């Protein structure tokens, strides 16, 4: 059995510690610890509970120590765009405001007073999303300019946890590109853009690539968890890690990282920053070894997750009030599981309504159910009146978005694609996989499920000498995990 490597993968709803090692030339995974991720209302904003996440990270490391399964290296990945500011003593300034918070409403107009959307896209290649870091910083300039004046560094969320573990501050490339502040061609912070926006250059240091060493655990942390190890950089943006786990054998496949978000695209060697690309809202996120992830953000399973929480009486953010909605749940006070929702959707296959899953109204509504119903009403379509009709509408809408994104991708890259590879937790949704295959006319390969953690581990294992390169890692992934084929019907 080979050395252990530890991926700490933190998503929008939970985090987990997954140990990986090689055994008989196959990658073997073991989940060591899982903890929830939650948002809290602080100082008028929806914020990440950073202290809770930090405790979850430490608890998982302690379990590794108690089990005697000591990782050779550790890598952390999380979602993108969110950040913290630190003062000259390395202390937090302000809160870790979550990207779904409403503070960025209108912030795009503040940025557009200084640089046009076309000029910004030509420099960074990053699609316009209302929550991008560039707009979060514009909002912060209005609300708390003193925080930016006092700050000495900006760290994305995984960069901050690396700092807490090691005392070393590094800014990792793949996550940095999601800010909309990195020059796509030069692959560094765009100094001219920072000056134009009035952002202090001192916050933005050298960018580090996946595979680089951060440092050993600090003495305090090593004593607490019971061992010493080395923290290294995976692709700290979870989508960057997930794309590395796609077991494709050629460049004719579309990649889809399916989770809270659906990230659909391909890998390119150069960024595509044309006006046509901007108009279709494709993005060029930086990847490991400077492989651009050319993709489209689609609202994804967030819609389904939100509906389930709402049906079960759970608010995503404590203190939010759901809007009124009328829906025949036909099941009293039952608790809805994801299989229940799929079964309900399958019973309403003839319900015709669809919505634009990328509509901003679905980003953080008080009620996802009411938002879908309103979108149908606004479009003059039948309004879902049952859970089954609601879910059929959402599922069909997601598949249609995938179809349109694949078609746009083909036009922009000039390539024809022959398959879709889906990785991540969403690849387990067999119903959505079937609808996707039918809508696109392409075979779907579903798996591996733990795509993000596997991609995280792949970088660590390449660094550790277990694989010669990414192609070798992907070959091992194909042999190691169950990958299901779904043919269009």
């Amino acid at each position: 059995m080979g050395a252990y490597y530890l991926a700490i993968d933190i998503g929008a709803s939970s985090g987990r510690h997954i140990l990986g090692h090689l055994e008989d030339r196959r990658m073997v995974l073991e989940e060591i610890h899982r903890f929830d991720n939650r948002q809290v209302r602080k100082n008028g904003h929806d914020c990440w509970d950073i202290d809770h996440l930090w405790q979850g990270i430490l608890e998982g490391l302690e379990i590794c120590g108690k089990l005697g399964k000591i990782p050779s290296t550790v890598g952390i990945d999380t979602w993108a765009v969110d950040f913290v500011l630190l003062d000259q003593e390395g202390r937090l300034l302000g809160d870790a405001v979550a990207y779904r918070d409403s503070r960025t409403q209108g912030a795009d107009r503040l940025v557009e007073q200084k640089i046009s959307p076309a000029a910004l896209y030509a420099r960074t290649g990053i699609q316009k999303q209302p929550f991008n870091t560039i707009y979060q910083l514009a909002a912060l300039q209005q609300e708390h300019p003193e925080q930016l004046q006092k700050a000495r560094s900006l760290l994305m969320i995984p960069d901050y946890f690396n700092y807490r573990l090691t005392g070393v501050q590094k800014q990792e490339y793949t996550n940095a590109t999601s800010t909309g502040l990195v020059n796509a061609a030069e692959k560094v912070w765009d100094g001219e853009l920072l000056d134009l926006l009035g952002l202090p250059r001192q916050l933005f240091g050298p960018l580090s690539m996946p595979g680089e060493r951060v440092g050993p655990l600090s003495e305090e942390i090593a004593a607490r968890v019971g061992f010493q190890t080395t923290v290294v950089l995976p692709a700290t943006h979870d989508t960057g890690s997930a794309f590395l786990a796609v077991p494709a054998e050629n460049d004719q496949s579309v990649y889809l990282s399916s989770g809270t978000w659906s990230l659909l695209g391909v890998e390119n060697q150069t960024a595509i920053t044309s006006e046509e690309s901007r108009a279709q809202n494709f993005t060029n996120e930086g990847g490991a070894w400077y492989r651009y992830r050319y993709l489209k953000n689609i609202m994804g399973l967030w819609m389904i997750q939100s509906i389930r929480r709402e049906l079960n009486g759970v608010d995503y953010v404590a203190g939010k009030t759901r809007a009124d909605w009328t829906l025949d749940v036909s099941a009293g006070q039952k608790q809805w599981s994801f299989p229940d929702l799929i079964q309900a959707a399958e019973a309403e296959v003839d319900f015709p309504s669809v919505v634009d899953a990328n509509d901003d109204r679905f980003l953080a509504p008080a009620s996802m159910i009411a938002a879908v119903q309103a979108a149908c009403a606004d479009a003059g379509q039948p309004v879902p009146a049952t859970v089954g009709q609601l879910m059929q509408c959402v599922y069909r809408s997601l598949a249609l978005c995938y179809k349109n994104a694949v078609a746009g991708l083909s036009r922009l890259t000039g390539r024809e694609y022959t398959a879709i590879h889906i990785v991540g937790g969403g690849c387990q949704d067999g119903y959505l996989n079937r609808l996707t295959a039918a809508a696109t006319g392409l075979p779907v390969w579903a798996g591996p499920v733990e795509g993000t953690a596997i991609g995280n581990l792949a970088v660590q294992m390449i660094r550790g000498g277990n694989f010669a390169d990414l192609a070798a890692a992907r070959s091992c992934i194909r042999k190691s995990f169950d990958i299901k084929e779904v043919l269009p019907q």
Side-chain angles (χ1 to χ4, degrees):
M1 186 175 70
Y4 286 111
Y5 300 89
L6 178 65
I8 303 177
D9 171 32
I10 307 177
S13 60
S14 67
R16 57 269 181 89
H17 292 57
I18 295 183
L19 279 173
H21 70 274
L22 292 183
E23 191 171 320
D24 296 328
R25 299 183 180 180
R26 294 178 183 270
M27 189 183 296
V28 178
L29 306 182
E30 180 182 1
E31 183 177 301
I32 295 297
H33 181 54
R34 183 177 287 265
F35 54 99
D36 67 318
N37 188 7
R38 62 197 184 200
Q39 291 179 22
V40 293
R41 194 74 180 169
K42 295 176 64 177
N43 300 315
H45 294 293
D46 297 334
C47 302
W48 299 108
D49 193 341
I50 289 291
D51 291 336
H52 174 76
L53 291 177
W54 174 238
Q55 290 307 312
I57 289 171
L58 292 179
E59 288 167 2
L61 290 171
E62 288 173 337
I63 291 171
C64 288
K66 291 174 182 176
L67 292 174
K69 296 182 176 181
I70 310 303
S72 175
T73 59
V74 175
I76 301 177
D77 68 76
T78 76
W79 65 98
V81 305
D82 290 339
F83 64 93
V84 295
L85 297 176
L86 303 182
D87 65 15
Q88 61 184 3
E89 303 299 327
R91 297 172 300 199
L92 277 176
L93 287 166
D95 302 312
V97 179
Y99 64 86
R100 292 188 191 276
D101 182 75
S102 62
R103 70 171 174 170
T104 55
Q105 290 180 0
D108 57 337
R109 293 191 292 273
L110 298 174
V111 171
E112 288 165 13
Q113 292 172 5
K114 301 174 180 179
I115 183 171
S116 70
L120 179 62
Y121 187 83
R123 298 183 80 102
T124 69
I126 297 300
Q127 71 180 135
K128 182 178 178 180
Q129 295 276 18
F131 48 74
N132 285 353
T133 315
I134 188 173
Y135 304 124
Q136 293 195 44
L137 287 167
L140 190 63
Q141 284 175 317
Q142 296 294 303
E143 185 180 15
H144 289 296
E146 75 283 358
Q147 292 183 10
L148 285 166
Q149 292 167 3
K150 294 178 182 177
R152 292 297 177 267
S153 59
L154 177 150
L155 296 180
M156 308 303 283
I157 299 299
D159 295 335
Y160 175 65
F161 288 134
N162 286 338
Y163 168 61
R164 292 284 299 269
L165 287 173
T166 66
V168 177
Q169 295 185 22
K170 286 200 172 187
Q171 295 175 317
E172 189 270 335
Y173 169 73
T174 69
N175 220 317
T177 63
S178 75
T179 64
L181 297 168
V182 172
N183 188 286
E186 301 297 327
K187 307 178 184 69
V188 296
W189 297 112
D190 192 318
E192 291 182 359
L193 178 59
L194 296 176
D195 294 343
L196 193 64
L197 298 172
L199 296 172
R201 284 203 185 197
Q202 65 187 12
L203 302 183
F204 306 92
L207 294 179
S208 299
M209 286 299 294
E212 289 187 25
R213 179 179 184 270
V214 179
L217 299 178
S218 68
E219 292 183 5
E220 176 187 359
I221 300 301
R224 171 164 177 173
V225 303
F227 62 89
Q228 183 56 269
T229 188
T230 300
V231 177
V232 302
L233 296 174
T236 67
H237 183 182
D238 52 9
T239 308
S241 280
F243 265 45
L244 298 177
V246 173
E249 298 183 75
N250 54 51
D251 62 358
Q252 294 180 295
S253 294
V254 172
Y255 301 175
L256 174 55
S257 175
S258 181
T260 299
W261 286 93
S262 291
L263 297 312
L264 185 150
V266 295
E267 290 180 315
N268 289 334
Q269 296 301 314
T270 57
I272 300 175
T273 58
S274 66
E275 180 60 17
E276 183 183 6
S277 178
R278 183 184 76 85
Q280 294 196 37
N281 218 27
F282 276 80
T283 198
N284 298 266
E285 295 177 351
W289 304 286
Y290 296 122
R291 305 162 68 92
Y292 292 94
R293 297 189 309 283
Y294 188 59
L295 55 83
K296 195 175 192 69
N297 282 39
I298 299 169
M299 201 65 71
L301 302 188
W302 163 251
M303 298 179 74
I304 297 171
Q305 294 163 352
S306 298
I307 288 169
R308 177 174 176 263
R309 279 192 295 266
E310 201 169 337
L311 289 172
N312 291 339
V314 179
D315 288 318
Y316 184 63
V317 179
K320 273 200 172 182
T321 302
R322 293 192 300 273
D324 292 334
W325 47 264
T326 302
L327 194 72
D328 179 11
V329 297
S330 303
Q333 298 299 310
K334 74 170 289 183
Q335 290 291 295
W336 291 82
S337 67
F338 291 116
D340 290 335
L341 296 178
I342 292 171
Q343 183 177 10
E346 290 178 313
E348 294 282 0
V349 293
D350 294 327
F351 188 72
S353 299
V354 294
V355 298
D356 177 5
N358 288 328
D359 192 321
D360 286 347
R361 75 171 77 198
F362 303 127
L363 181 62
S367 164
M368 185 65 75
I369 293 172
V372 173
Q373 290 178 323
C376 290
D378 291 348
Q381 301 181 96
V383 175
T386 67
V387 174
Q389 291 176 356
L390 179 75
M391 296 312 302
Q392 180 61 222
C393 174
V394 171
Y395 270 112
R396 186 175 294 182
S397 300
L398 287 173
L400 181 61
C401 269
Y402 297 163
K403 174 186 177 180
N404 293 338
V406 172
L409 194 63
S410 184
R411 287 193 300 270
L412 288 164
T413 62
R415 301 205 303 261
E416 293 295 324
Y417 298 102
T418 58
I420 299 176
H421 278 269
I422 304 179
V423 298
C427 79
Q428 299 173 96
D429 193 324
Y431 187 54
L432 183 55
N433 294 342
R434 294 196 300 275
L435 289 179
T436 299
T440 62
L442 298 176
V444 166
W445 294 90
V449 175
E450 297 290 357
T452 302
I454 291 168
N456 180 325
L457 292 168
V459 171
Q460 295 186 58
M461 289 180 172
I462 291 170
R463 182 184 182 277
N466 296 99
F467 301 123
D469 52 24
L470 181 58
R474 282 176 165 163
S475 176
C476 177
I477 291 167
R478 283 194 296 273
K479 300 172 185 174
S480 302
F481 301 102
D482 183 27
I483 300 169
K484 296 181 172 63
E485 182 182 18
V486 181
L487 296 174
Q489 295 180 355

